[in-house]
C-alpha cells in the first residue's frame, strides 16, 4: 500500500472519497441561505422560486434528509431576513430623519394595501403575519402595518416564525410536485420557476384589471 507522498495527492484522495452530492450540498445550502436572506431584506429576489428550484433538486437526490435540511435553511434565512428588516424599519421610525430602509418598505406598500393590512392586523393580530407570507406581495404591507402599530421586535418575531415555516413548506411542496412530475431535474426546475413566478404575478394582474 502506497501512502500519498504530497499534499496534492492527499487532497485528491480525500475529495475522491466524498460523494458529489455531499459536495454540492456543502456549497448549495449556504448559497440558498444567503440568497433567501438577501431576498428578505431586498424584496426583488424571487425567493419562492429559489426554494422551489432547490426542492426539485433535493427531491431527485439520494442523500438522506436533503428536503429537511432545505426546509430548515430556507425558513431560518427568511426569518432572520425579516427580523433584520423589521429592526431596521423600527430604527427608521425612531429616527428624526427616517432611513432608507424605512422608505424602501413604504415604497413597496401602496396606501390601499397598507390600509387593508392595518384593518386585518387590528382584527386578527398575529395570524395575519402567516397569511402575509403566503400571499404574493403581502409581506411588506403587513410588516409596515406592524411597524406603524409599534409592535416590538419580539412580538413581530413570535408571529413571523410560523409564517416563515409555512412559507418555506409551501414553496418546497411546489418544488416537490414539479420534481415528481418530470423525470429530469431541470424540467422540474423550469416548471417550479414558471409556477412560482406566475403566482407572484397574480396581484399585479388583478390590480391592472381593476
Amino acid at each position: 500500500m502506497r501512502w500519498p507522498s504530497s499534499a496534492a495527492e492527499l487532497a485528491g484522495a480525500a475529495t475522491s472519497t466524498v460523494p458529489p452530492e455531499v459536495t454540492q450540498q456543502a456549497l448549495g445550502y449556504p448559497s440558498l441561505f444567503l440568497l433567501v436572506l438577501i431576498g428578505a431584506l431586498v424584496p426583488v429576489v424571487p425567493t419562492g422560486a429559489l426554494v422551489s428550484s432547490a426542492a426539485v433538486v433535493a427531491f431527485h437526490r439520494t442523500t438522506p434528509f436533503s428536503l429537511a435540511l432545505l426546509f430548515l435553511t430556507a425558513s431560518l434565512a427568511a426569518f432572520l431576513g425579516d427580523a433584520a428588516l423589521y429592526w431596521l424599519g423600527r430604527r427608521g421610525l425612531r429616527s428624526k430623519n427616517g432611513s432608507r430602509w424605512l422608505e424602501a418598505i413604504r415604497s413597496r406598500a401602496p396606501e390601499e394595501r397598507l390600509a387593508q393590512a392595518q384593518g386585518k392586523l387590528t382584527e386578527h393580530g398575529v395570524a395575519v403575519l402567516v397569511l402575509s407570507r403566503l400571499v404574493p406581495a403581502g409581506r411588506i404591507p403587513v410588516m409596515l402595518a406592524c411597524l406603524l402599530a409599534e409592535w416590538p421586535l419580539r412580538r413581530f418575531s413570535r408571529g413571523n416564525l410560523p409564517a416563515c415555516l409555512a412559507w418555506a413548506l409551501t414553496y418546497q411542496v411546489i418544488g416537490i410536485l414539479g420534481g415528481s412530475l418530470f423525470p429530469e431535474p431541470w424540467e422540474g426546475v423550469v416548471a417550479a420557476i414558471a409556477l412560482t413566478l406566475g403566482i407572484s404575478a397574480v396581484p399585479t394582474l388583478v390590480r391592472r384589471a381593476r
Side-chain angles (χ1 to χ4, degrees):
M1 177 179 180
R2 188 178 73 86
W3 294 95
S5 58
S6 65
E9 290 186 7
L10 183 61
T15 55
S16 63
T17 61
V18 179
E21 290 188 356
V22 175
T23 304
Q24 292 173 7
Q25 290 186 35
L27 298 174
Y29 289 119
S31 300
L32 177 66
F33 179 88
L34 184 61
L35 288 172
V36 173
L37 182 66
I38 294 174
L41 286 169
V42 185
V44 293
V45 179
T47 51
L50 289 173
V51 175
S52 296
S53 301
V56 173
V57 177
F59 177 80
H60 285 278
R61 282 176 176 160
T62 58
T63 307
F65 309 116
S66 293
L67 290 171
L69 186 56
L70 169 63
F71 172 73
L72 292 175
T73 301
S75 54
L76 179 60
F79 176 77
L80 293 178
D82 284 355
L85 183 59
Y86 192 80
W87 179 77
L88 291 168
R90 280 181 57 83
R91 284 193 62 187
L93 281 177
R94 292 194 296 265
S95 174
K96 293 181 179 180
N97 300 323
S99 71
R100 63 186 182 89
W101 290 101
L102 180 59
E103 291 304 317
I105 295 174
R106 288 184 183 275
S107 66
R108 294 186 173 275
E111 290 296 330
E112 179 185 354
R113 302 209 65 180
L114 175 59
Q116 292 176 353
Q118 288 175 316
K120 291 178 181 178
L121 194 66
T122 302
E123 294 177 7
H124 305 289
V126 172
V128 178
L129 286 171
V130 179
L131 294 177
S132 71
R133 257 288 180 180
L134 299 178
V135 175
R139 178 175 69 102
I140 295 300
V142 172
M143 181 180 290
L144 181 57
C146 293
L147 286 169
L148 296 178
E150 298 184 351
W151 280 22
L153 177 60
R154 180 177 297 181
R155 184 181 182 185
F156 173 80
S157 298
R158 189 167 57 246
N160 193 49
L161 177 59
C164 291
L165 294 175
W167 170 82
L169 180 62
T170 299
Y171 281 98
Q172 185 168 331
V173 168
I174 292 175
I176 292 173
L177 291 175
S180 62
L181 291 175
F182 298 95
E184 295 294 331
W186 70 268
E187 294 174 330
V189 168
V190 171
I193 291 176
L195 181 58
T196 52
L197 293 180
I199 294 173
S200 303
V202 169
T204 303
L205 295 176
V206 171
R207 285 197 298 270
R208 289 182 179 178
R210 289 179 178 175

